[in-house]
């Protein structure tokens, strides 16, 4: 354990050092650190010239100054790397963040540094270069081993559509996975307010602080014997008959998305999975002493468990100082020496009911 702790601490220190070095390098390249302007631009600046399509170190200060002085060009700094492009390239997509940022109505709010450059430190230069492909040729090209999740996050940040029209990648699995995550989130939010929240409201009106919902198919029929119900308590279950929700929650990725959505809504103790649910009696067997054993037929259906209790840590508190304990009398004593309760028949009935529940669980 101690060795693992040291390895984690060393890794964090290395990552912190690398971040600091990138930060200082970026500040030097933008002229924020005093004295950094004395260094030659060619020795400290990497330029991605989207106008000419060239990429590499700037040859001299005069060339860079002439490019930057053009009022039709914009220089964006991302982690020490400068991106040079025409202003009209960004203005061609005013619905995006960069297009709106450099529009005429936003010029007074968008201010660069002393050199007239604009810093964007949200993403790495590689991700930002891929994003700029949307402005230059209308397509974001992602390599097969590229991080599709970061591209998706960057598209959301810069307000760029993320779909098969704007993303070009040979790795269709990663692309479809991110598209499915978006669709699953929107789909579950629709399920949440149309079918799940009404069941939660019913539980809340009963004074409950949590809800256990089972998602059945439209054609599932639940027929419980009121005299011999299954081991689960009927009052603790809420049932939703929706084949669409059932089909949606059968994927573990969709259940993870649903869990994130419920957490964003402030719910706690969230559990999603698939479990057996009794639908109807399968067989009835009479055992010794006339006891009846009922076996139910179980189907595998998704379930959702969530809680909105605020003081759950206090609800579970038990004051053991006020709990009375009773010891059983020795078996060899006579019945007259033991104070038997007057409602003995009721107690025996409860014991038989508990035994019946245990038999049902063992049978299933």
């Amino acid at each position: 354990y101690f060795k693992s702790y040291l390895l984690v601490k060393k890794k964090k220190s290395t990552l912190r050092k690398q971040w600091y070095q990138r930060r200082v390098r970026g500040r030097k390249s933008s002229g924020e650190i005093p004295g950094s302007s004395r260094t030659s631009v060619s020795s400290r600046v990497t330029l991605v010239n989207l106008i000419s399509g060239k990429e590499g170190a700037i040859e001299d200060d005069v060339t860079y100054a002439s490019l930057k002085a053009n009022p039709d060009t914009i220089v964006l700094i991302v982690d020490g790397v400068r991106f040079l492009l025409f202003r009209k390239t960004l203005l061609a997509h005013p619905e995006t963040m960069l297009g709106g940022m450099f529009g005429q109505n936003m010029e007074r709010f968008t201010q660069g540094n002393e050199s007239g450059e604009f810093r964007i430190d949200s993403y790495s230069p590689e991700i930002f270069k891929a994003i700029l492909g949307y402005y230059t040729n209308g397509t974001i090209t992602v390599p097969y081993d590229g991080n599709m999740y970061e591209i998706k996050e960057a598209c959301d940040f810069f307000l760029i559509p993320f779909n098969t029209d704007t993303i070009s990648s040979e790795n269709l699995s990663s692309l479809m996975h991110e598209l499915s995550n978006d669709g699953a989130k929107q789909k579950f939010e629709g399920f949440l307010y149309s079918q799940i929240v009404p069941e939660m409201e019913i539980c809340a009106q009963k004074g409950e602080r949590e809800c256990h919902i089972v998602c059945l198919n439209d054609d599932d029929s639940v027929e419980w014997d009121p005299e011999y119900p299954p081991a689960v308590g009927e009052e603790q279950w809420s049932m939703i008959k929706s084949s669409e929700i059932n089909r949606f929650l059968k994927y573990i990725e969709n259940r993870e998305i649903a869990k994130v959505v419920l957490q964003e809504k402030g719910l706690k103790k969230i559990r999603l999975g698939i479990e057996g649910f009794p639908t109807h009696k399968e067989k009835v067997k009479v055992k010794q002493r006339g006891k009846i054993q009922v076996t139910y037929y179980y189907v595998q259906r998704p379930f959702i468990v969530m809680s909105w209790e605020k003081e759950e840590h206090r609800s579970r508190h038990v004051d053991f100082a006020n709990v009375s304990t009773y010891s059983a009398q020795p078996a060899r004593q006579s019945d007259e020496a033991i104070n038997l309760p007057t409602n003995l028949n009721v107690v025996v009935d409860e014991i038989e009911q508990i035994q019946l529940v245990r038999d049902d669980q063992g049978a299933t």
Side-chain angles (χ1 to χ4, degrees):
Y1 175 80
F2 183 68
K3 289 182 179 179
S4 301
Y5 169 76
L6 292 179
L7 289 175
V8 172
K9 186 175 181 181
K10 184 178 180 180
K11 185 176 181 180
K12 289 184 178 180
S13 177
T14 304
L15 293 175
R16 191 181 299 109
K17 184 178 180 180
Q18 292 176 353
W19 175 87
Y20 178 75
Q21 291 176 351
R22 291 197 304 268
R23 184 67 176 174
V24 171
R25 186 167 61 251
R27 294 180 62 190
K28 284 183 178 180
S29 62
S30 61
E32 296 181 12
I33 298 180
S36 60
S37 59
R38 299 176 183 176
T39 307
S40 175
V41 177
S42 59
S43 63
R44 59 182 169 83
V45 173
T46 300
L47 178 67
V48 179
N49 193 336
L50 299 178
I51 298 176
S52 62
K54 297 181 180 180
E55 179 178 352
I58 300 177
E59 298 178 357
D60 53 62
D61 294 336
V62 178
T63 303
Y64 178 67
S66 61
L67 292 173
K68 187 176 60 174
N70 188 347
D72 295 332
T73 61
I74 295 177
V75 178
L76 304 176
I77 306 175
V78 180
D79 198 9
V81 179
R82 282 171 166 76
F83 293 85
L84 178 66
L85 67 161
F86 282 120
R87 184 183 295 268
K88 64 180 181 180
T89 303
L90 300 180
L91 297 182
H93 299 276
E95 72 282 357
T96 63
M97 191 193 79
L98 292 177
M101 193 169 98
F102 295 100
Q104 295 181 355
N105 297 331
M106 298 296 294
E107 289 183 351
R108 58 178 180 175
F109 301 103
T110 307
Q111 298 180 356
N113 56 15
E114 297 177 355
S115 302
E117 302 163 331
F118 301 89
R119 177 180 298 279
I120 299 177
D121 289 334
S122 301
Y123 295 92
S124 65
E126 294 76 16
I127 297 296
F128 189 73
K129 181 181 178 181
I131 291 297
L132 290 181
Y134 175 75
Y135 296 93
T136 57
N137 54 33
T139 304
I140 300 175
T141 303
V142 184
Y144 186 88
D145 56 349
N147 193 330
M148 193 66 69
Y149 175 76
E150 290 187 1
I151 294 293
K152 171 66 174 58
E153 292 292 321
C155 288
D156 292 342
F157 180 79
F158 292 107
L159 303 180
I160 297 176
F162 184 86
N163 50 48
T164 54
D165 295 331
T166 58
I167 305 297
S168 175
S169 176
E170 293 296 329
N171 193 344
L172 291 179
S173 176
S174 298
L175 177 58
M176 293 298 112
H177 177 74
E178 296 301 330
L179 291 175
S180 295
N181 287 344
D182 267 0
K185 184 175 182 180
Q186 298 176 6
K187 194 75 173 177
F188 183 75
E189 287 182 348
F191 292 149
L192 178 63
Y193 290 103
S194 63
Q195 302 188 54
I196 298 177
V197 170
E199 294 296 331
M200 296 171 59
E201 182 181 7
I202 294 175
C203 294
Q205 290 176 351
K206 295 179 181 179
E208 299 289 341
R209 303 287 175 174
E210 59 185 5
C211 188
H212 189 153
I213 299 176
V214 179
C215 304
L216 304 174
N217 284 327
D218 294 332
D219 56 351
D220 284 340
S221 177
V222 180
E223 298 177 358
W224 289 358
D225 190 333
E227 187 176 358
Y228 302 101
V232 295
E234 185 176 3
E235 70 283 356
Q236 300 176 1
W237 294 71
S238 298
M239 291 175 285
I240 296 178
K241 286 191 175 183
S242 173
S243 299
E244 192 175 5
I245 298 180
N246 193 345
R247 184 171 56 254
F248 175 85
L249 292 177
K250 74 177 183 179
Y251 299 105
I252 186 173
E253 292 91 348
N254 289 350
R255 295 199 294 269
E256 293 296 330
I257 295 294
K259 185 175 182 180
V260 172
V261 173
L262 294 175
Q263 289 175 345
E264 292 175 352
K265 305 301 181 183
L267 298 172
K268 298 176 292 185
K269 295 190 293 185
I270 302 169
R271 291 189 297 111
L272 292 97
I274 298 177
E275 63 182 0
F277 183 76
T279 56
H280 59 275
K281 288 191 302 183
E282 188 175 22
K283 62 181 180 178
V284 178
K285 182 179 180 181
V286 180
K287 302 183 70 177
Q288 296 179 354
R289 298 182 181 179
K291 292 190 298 184
I292 299 178
Q293 178 181 353
V294 180
T295 303
Y296 275 82
Y297 179 78
Y298 282 71
V299 293
Q300 297 295 318
R301 295 293 180 261
F303 71 91
I304 305 174
V305 179
M306 58 202 131
S307 171
W308 51 89
E309 186 179 6
K310 297 295 184 181
E311 303 290 341
E312 70 273 6
H313 60 284
R314 297 178 60 184
S315 300
R316 304 298 184 267
H317 175 72
V318 178
D319 189 358
F320 290 98
N322 295 327
V323 176
S324 302
T325 59
Y326 297 91
S327 59
Q329 297 291 336
R332 58 190 176 189
Q333 290 186 358
S334 61
D335 294 340
E336 291 78 6
I338 304 176
N339 296 324
L340 294 176
T342 56
N343 55 348
L344 179 59
N345 295 330
V346 177
V347 175
V348 173
D349 291 340
E350 292 179 355
I351 294 176
E352 291 291 331
Q353 179 68 16
I354 294 174
Q355 184 64 34
L356 174 62
V357 171
R358 291 180 178 176
D359 291 341
D360 290 343
Q361 291 179 347
T364 56

